[in-house]
Amino acid sequence: MRPRDDAVDVAEPLARAGPAAPHDASGEQVVTRALTGLAPPARPARRWTPRRVVAVPAALDHPHGRRIVDRVEALGIEVERLRANRLTGVRGDTDRETYARAKSTLAIVVSPPSRRTLQPIAPSADWRVDLAEGCPAHCQYCYLAGSLSGPPVTRVYADLDDILANLAGYVGRGTVTSRRAARVGEGTTFEASCYTDPLALEHLTGSWRRAVEHFGAWDAPVQLRWTTKYADVDTFLGLPHAGRTRVRFSVNAAPVSDRLEGGTATVPERLDALRQLALAGYPVGLTIAPIMPMPGWREHYGELLDRIRATVTGIDRLDLTAELITHRFTPGSKEVLLGWYPRTRLEMDERSRRRKHGRFGAVKYVYPSDVMGDLRAWFDRELAARVPAVRVLYWT
Ligand code: SF4
């Protein structure tokens, strides 16, 4: 028998307080390579097939919970119906084993009641709305590392209809896009990828398609937003989105995406998906993150921008934004990431960073001011020159 602390409360959120930036790993090979600190080679991402899927009893009281179960079972994956909100069998004998088990587990749960009170998510959007927490990919800088507690099981929310219905009370109340002149055209914005990667899970849940349709039918100045490192957009192309969903693709220079992003779609695949959505009339965007000043960074990021320019050439009525986010880490995220990826070559050396205090006094390590200045000046200049259609929303 396993000790009692083997149990994980699947109804509780993974997330601790604090903002996370937005984001298939398929099979043991990806997990194994991630554990050794080696990202799998760039290749088309396969759809994630969790090795274990569980559903808590309360999830089955919700129509969307039952829809997710039907969808997963139709894919030939067995769904374990739990008797209580406790999931056992996730913890292994070592941290690595626990990580591998959790990363290959999907839990269908109900979101915690606290999630009905939305939190601001500057500088991305007015409000954060969570349809899931956790992600099956293996990025060695993962944004979730400092924000999660417990084994990184992916939880998807069965109470989607209630989550979406709750948003109406927030229209016009945000401070990021609702009230700022530069972004007021976006309306009240809801960010739906703070603790997950929507397109990594969509084939299992259908949640983001329903959200797109909800916003499409919502005749108000509102916008749904999410960012992804996947490219599976076919089922979104014909949706009645009414231009009220902006999908951004998280992209990076080849040394980062090839070496540090395990199990995601390749950058060319993501950009191809961006083009398809833009041609289908969606507002689209780029999340260039995490920006890193690796050797030859001007050339590497220059190649990325040239690829972006080629991607968006010839698209009528293109609405393209960019969000630029430099790499940073916290003491907590570094500890978690080194546990997940002990052989990572990701630079997280406090001595080469500037210490900064975030909201509520939390410490984070960012690049020194001169490095930051060089990066920002280069991106300002080169984005304007190489991708003039892009509108930069923020740099951080
Ligand atoms: S795509 Fe990568 S960075 Fe984003 S949540 Fe998943 S593992 Fe983390």
Side-chain angles (χ1 to χ4, degrees):
M1 249 176 84
R2 293 197 169 276
R4 184 159 163 63
D5 70 358
D6 179 53
V8 174
D9 192 335
V10 291
E12 281 304 308
L14 282 165
R16 291 187 191 130
H23 325 312
D24 149 296
S26 304
E28 289 180 38
Q29 193 184 7
V30 169
V31 172
T32 304
R33 293 186 68 92
L35 293 177
T36 58
L38 298 171
R43 54 151 178 74
R46 284 178 291 146
R47 287 178 160 186
W48 182 45
T49 302
R51 292 179 64 189
R52 184 179 182 210
V53 180
V54 300
V56 300
L60 301 178
D61 291 339
H62 292 267
H64 192 62
R66 295 193 294 275
R67 280 195 293 267
I68 295 174
V69 170
D70 290 347
R71 185 183 292 275
V72 169
E73 289 182 335
L75 292 169
I77 305 167
E78 183 191 345
V79 178
E80 261 176 73
R81 271 84 166 164
L82 300 181
R83 294 205 181 142
N85 289 336
R86 306 289 289 178
L87 166 61
T88 54
V90 173
R91 293 192 194 277
D93 294 332
T94 63
D95 285 350
R96 291 180 175 203
E97 208 177 304
T98 300
Y99 170 84
R101 286 189 192 183
K103 273 287 200 177
S104 54
T105 299
L106 178 76
I108 307 166
V109 303
V110 175
S111 69
S114 60
R115 293 304 168 90
R116 290 296 177 276
T117 304
L118 302 190
Q119 300 300 316
I121 185 74
S124 168
D126 285 328
W127 303 107
R128 186 185 109 206
V129 55
D130 298 317
L131 312 188
E133 284 189 357
C135 170
H138 303 275
C139 301
Q140 292 173 37
Y141 54 76
C142 181
Y143 305 107
L144 306 183
S147 309
L148 309 183
S149 60
V153 173
T154 296
R155 294 153 165 85
V156 295
Y157 293 150
D159 49 333
L160 176 69
D161 300 333
D162 298 341
I163 292 170
L164 294 175
N166 183 53
L167 305 183
Y170 288 84
V171 176
R173 289 176 49 199
T175 58
V176 175
T177 60
S178 291
R179 298 204 190 141
R180 280 192 197 159
R183 292 186 61 184
V184 76
E186 296 173 59
T188 302
T189 44
F190 298 90
E191 173 68 58
S193 55
C194 291
Y195 289 117
T196 190
D197 189 304
L199 294 188
L201 305 176
E202 180 61 21
H203 63 292
L204 299 166
T205 67
S207 299
W208 284 270
R209 257 170 290 174
R210 291 184 77 83
V212 169
E213 290 174 330
H214 178 86
F215 276 75
W218 188 359
D219 190 10
V222 292
Q223 190 177 75
L224 175 69
R225 296 161 52 75
W226 78 71
T227 190
T228 182
K229 289 192 177 75
Y230 288 78
D232 201 354
V233 295
D234 289 0
T235 54
F236 288 88
L237 299 180
L239 293 185
H241 57 78
R244 285 196 279 274
T245 294
R246 183 181 299 277
V247 182
R248 299 107 76 211
F249 289 83
S250 175
V251 293
N252 216 314
V256 178
S257 58
D258 290 353
R259 293 176 202 158
L260 299 178
E261 296 175 353
T264 60
T266 64
V267 168
E269 288 168 333
R270 295 175 219 169
L271 290 176
D272 184 54
L274 179 150
R275 181 175 175 82
Q276 290 183 57
L277 288 179
L279 289 170
Y282 283 85
V284 291
L286 300 158
T287 309
I288 305 181
I291 294 171
M292 297 181 187
M294 80 291 284
W297 63 266
R298 292 174 185 79
E299 289 71 30
H300 292 301
Y301 282 110
E303 284 170 20
L304 175 68
L305 298 191
D306 288 343
R307 194 184 279 276
I308 291 169
R309 174 176 53 195
T311 296
V312 299
T313 297
I315 300 175
D316 286 341
R317 296 188 297 279
L318 175 70
D319 180 349
L320 176 70
T321 58
E323 291 149 80
L324 308 172
I325 304 169
T326 53
H327 181 251
R328 67 268 329 273
F329 62 92
T330 66
S333 68
K334 177 177 177 177
E335 185 185 343
V336 171
L337 288 172
L338 289 178
W340 287 354
Y341 309 112
R343 291 173 54 198
T344 186
R345 278 177 271 167
L346 174 64
E347 179 272 305
M348 290 188 286
D349 179 1
E350 293 84 351
R351 292 166 304 180
S352 66
R353 299 291 186 121
R354 182 164 64 91
R355 202 175 143 99
K356 201 173 164 184
H357 290 276
R359 279 193 307 157
F360 313 119
V363 170
K364 59 185 167 186
Y365 292 95
V366 301
Y367 293 119
S369 302
D370 57 334
V371 175
M372 207 69 131
D374 283 352
L375 287 167
R376 186 168 190 172
W378 186 90
F379 271 94
D380 280 350
R381 187 179 66 244
E382 296 299 323
L383 258 175
R386 301 188 200 213
V387 196
V390 79
R391 183 163 54 94
V392 176
L393 298 185
Y394 59 86
W395 167 278
T396 185

